[in-house]
Short mmCIF file of all heavy atoms in Angstrom, two decimals:
data_model
loop_
_atom_site.label_atom_id
_atom_site.label_comp_id
_atom_site.label_asym_id
_atom_site.label_seq_id
_atom_site.Cartn_x
_atom_site.Cartn_y
_atom_site.Cartn_z
N ASN A 248 129.62 53.96 156.87
CA ASN A 248 129.63 55.37 157.09
C ASN A 248 128.99 56.09 155.77
O ASN A 248 128.83 55.35 154.68
CB ASN A 248 130.96 55.96 157.47
CG ASN A 248 131.97 55.87 156.34
OD1 ASN A 248 131.71 56.00 155.14
ND2 ASN A 248 133.23 55.59 156.68
N ILE A 249 128.74 57.29 155.81
CA ILE A 249 128.02 58.03 154.78
C ILE A 249 128.91 57.94 153.44
O ILE A 249 128.30 57.77 152.41
CB ILE A 249 127.65 59.39 155.13
CG1 ILE A 249 126.91 60.11 154.10
CG2 ILE A 249 128.82 60.29 155.53
CD1 ILE A 249 125.58 59.39 153.85
N ASP A 250 130.18 58.12 153.52
CA ASP A 250 130.89 58.22 152.33
C ASP A 250 131.01 56.87 151.65
O ASP A 250 130.94 56.74 150.45
CB ASP A 250 132.33 58.57 152.66
CG ASP A 250 132.53 60.04 153.07
OD1 ASP A 250 131.86 60.93 152.34
OD2 ASP A 250 133.15 60.40 153.94
N GLU A 251 131.06 55.76 152.40
CA GLU A 251 131.03 54.40 151.88
C GLU A 251 129.66 54.08 151.14
O GLU A 251 129.51 53.58 150.13
CB GLU A 251 131.38 53.26 152.91
CG GLU A 251 132.87 53.42 153.38
CD GLU A 251 133.01 52.49 154.67
OE1 GLU A 251 131.88 52.17 155.26
OE2 GLU A 251 134.13 52.09 154.95
N THR A 252 128.67 54.54 151.90
CA THR A 252 127.26 54.39 151.29
C THR A 252 127.02 55.00 150.07
O THR A 252 126.56 54.41 149.12
CB THR A 252 126.30 54.98 152.40
OG1 THR A 252 126.31 54.28 153.67
CG2 THR A 252 124.88 54.88 151.83
N VAL A 253 127.51 56.31 149.92
CA VAL A 253 127.32 57.03 148.58
C VAL A 253 128.25 56.43 147.58
O VAL A 253 127.88 56.44 146.47
CB VAL A 253 127.58 58.66 148.82
CG1 VAL A 253 127.64 59.21 147.58
CG2 VAL A 253 126.45 59.10 149.75
N ALA A 254 129.49 56.14 147.94
CA ALA A 254 130.40 55.39 147.00
C ALA A 254 129.84 54.18 146.31
O ALA A 254 129.95 54.00 145.15
CB ALA A 254 131.75 55.22 147.55
N GLU A 255 129.25 53.37 147.26
CA GLU A 255 128.61 52.13 146.65
C GLU A 255 127.36 52.48 145.85
O GLU A 255 127.15 51.75 144.90
CB GLU A 255 128.10 51.32 148.04
CG GLU A 255 127.52 50.03 147.64
CD GLU A 255 128.45 49.16 146.67
OE1 GLU A 255 129.66 49.17 146.84
OE2 GLU A 255 127.83 48.38 145.92
N LEU A 256 126.67 53.57 146.29
CA LEU A 256 125.53 53.93 145.44
C LEU A 256 125.93 54.46 144.04
O LEU A 256 125.38 54.01 143.06
CB LEU A 256 124.77 55.09 146.12
CG LEU A 256 123.49 55.61 145.57
CD1 LEU A 256 122.41 54.50 145.56
CD2 LEU A 256 122.99 56.85 146.20
N TYR A 257 127.04 55.07 143.86
CA TYR A 257 127.56 55.60 142.63
C TYR A 257 128.00 54.52 141.87
O TYR A 257 127.74 54.36 140.62
CB TYR A 257 128.78 56.53 142.75
CG TYR A 257 128.35 57.94 143.29
CD1 TYR A 257 127.23 58.29 143.69
CD2 TYR A 257 129.37 58.97 143.38
CE1 TYR A 257 126.91 59.62 144.14
CE2 TYR A 257 129.16 60.24 143.78
CZ TYR A 257 127.89 60.50 144.19
OH TYR A 257 127.59 61.84 144.51
N ARG A 258 128.61 53.49 142.44
CA ARG A 258 128.98 52.21 141.81
C ARG A 258 127.87 51.48 141.18
O ARG A 258 127.86 50.95 140.02
CB ARG A 258 130.02 51.48 142.61
CG ARG A 258 131.40 51.92 142.79
CD ARG A 258 132.25 50.88 143.46
NE ARG A 258 131.93 50.64 144.77
CZ ARG A 258 132.54 51.26 145.79
NH1 ARG A 258 133.48 52.35 145.57
NH2 ARG A 258 132.27 51.08 147.01
N SER A 259 126.83 51.30 142.02
CA SER A 259 125.63 50.53 141.67
C SER A 259 124.96 51.17 140.40
O SER A 259 124.33 50.32 139.67
CB SER A 259 124.75 50.34 142.79
OG SER A 259 124.17 51.65 143.09
#
Side-chain angles (χ1 to χ4, degrees):
N248 66 37
I249 183 63
D250 290 312
E251 292 171 341
T252 297
V253 173
E255 180 58 33
L256 186 67
Y257 285 8
R258 285 191 289 268
S259 69

